[in-house]
Amino acid sequence: MKRLISLCSAFLLLFCFCLPVSAADGDGIPYICDTVPLLSEEEWTDFEEQAAGLSSQYQCAIYFVTVDDYTDYGSGSVYDVAKTIYTKNDLGWGDSKSGILLLLSMEDRDYALIAYGYGNTVLTDYGSEYMSNRFLDDFAEDDWASGCSDYLDTCSTFLKMAGEGKPFDVGSQTSKGMVFLVSLVLGAAVGYLICRTWRFQARQAVHEAANAEGYLQADGLNITSRSDCYTHTTRTSRKIASSSSKSGGTTVDSSGFSGRSGKF
């Protein structure tokens, strides 16, 4: 019953654009607006609670919206319609209307990820690309619950980092790269030690002769045939790095939004 009431509100929200309630009031407008629907009752309830908790904790509304065809809700691209849905329904937290919204349109499998207000600080250009890569692989396989979960989990991580004054941006993964490098070096060292130990044990089990004569049979060495076999070719290559680099930050358009769009 709870989801039915919320879905009815969602339909009014998307079709009429006339609900006067603010998302910050926590009443009337669901954070998970699954009008298709793609999620089960239990999944919707869990995600709605997670999104509401994040929105309240960081005072930045987090939305996930699904529709059959975005062209039914406005003109322009899916990115334009996502902004229309956001502004016409007075979405966002507080006076600054801060928030992040992910819109899925099933007709041609379009998506738009947008941010507004403080959401622009949380979701940098680099962060927007990273977040999209987190959920797009799930949506491409029609795994809606995993995709929504990845979206909300990434929002949680980004909100926490931004709250600590270090929004996820270019260079944020440097420490992860160092951890990988250290793990790689340690793995190689352990592998080397294992090989050395194995070799030592093998030498103890088989006595090595002082010279080549020790390996000859009593009746001598008799070579009956000889052949050369091609086994492989070794090639080396060097990657040429691109001269372009990402500068970081957030690109905000004239209407105050940032984000990206594409297909899933």
Side-chain angles (χ1 to χ4, degrees), residues 8-218:
C8 288
S9 299
F11 278 114
L12 290 174
L13 164 72
L14 294 173
F15 279 105
C16 302
F17 298 118
C18 63
L19 292 180
V21 221
S22 168
D25 297 331
D27 186 28
I29 299 178
Y31 292 98
I32 307 300
C33 190
D34 184 23
T35 68
V36 174
L38 301 176
L39 304 172
S40 69
E41 175 95 15
E42 182 178 358
E43 290 166 348
W44 180 87
T45 300
D46 290 342
F47 292 146
E48 176 68 16
E49 291 178 355
Q50 183 180 356
L54 288 174
S55 301
S56 176
Q57 180 179 357
Y58 294 100
Q59 297 188 2
C60 181
I62 305 300
Y63 302 102
F64 176 69
V65 180
T66 70
V67 298
D68 287 316
D69 187 353
Y70 76 86
T71 60
D72 294 334
Y73 307 102
S75 58
S77 67
V78 64
Y79 185 83
D80 295 328
V81 172
K83 294 196 298 181
T84 297
I85 291 174
Y86 197 98
T87 56
K88 290 292 185 181
N89 292 281
D90 198 26
L91 300 183
W93 190 279
D95 295 335
S96 64
K97 302 302 177 187
S98 298
I100 297 173
L101 182 147
L102 173 59
L103 171 65
L104 300 188
S105 177
M106 305 307 296
E107 180 67 21
D108 294 314
R109 302 181 73 88
D110 296 291
Y111 85 94
L113 176 63
I114 62 172
Y116 191 82
Y118 179 61
N120 289 325
T121 300
V122 176
L123 195 64
T124 63
D125 293 344
Y126 182 72
S128 177
E129 179 182 359
Y130 178 88
M131 181 182 291
S132 297
N133 290 333
R134 287 293 310 279
F135 59 68
L136 283 177
D137 57 342
D138 297 315
F139 293 151
E141 297 178 355
D142 295 348
D143 189 350
W144 315 116
S146 294
C148 184
S149 178
D150 285 343
Y151 164 65
L152 293 178
D153 288 346
T154 308
C155 282
S156 177
T157 300
F158 286 8
L159 286 165
K160 183 177 185 297
M161 294 179 67
E164 295 172 348
K166 298 178 180 180
F168 184 88
D169 205 345
V170 175
S172 294
Q173 290 184 290
T174 301
S175 58
K176 296 181 181 179
M178 288 300 297
V179 170
F180 172 77
L181 181 60
V182 171
S183 299
L184 185 63
V185 172
L186 288 176
V190 171
Y192 174 77
L193 290 175
I194 291 175
C195 291
R196 290 283 297 178
T197 302
W198 176 83
R199 183 180 178 186
F200 175 78
Q201 292 175 344
R203 291 180 63 180
Q204 292 298 313
V206 180
H207 175 71
E208 295 184 1
N211 53 61
E213 293 179 354
Y215 295 98
L216 297 179
Q217 298 179 357

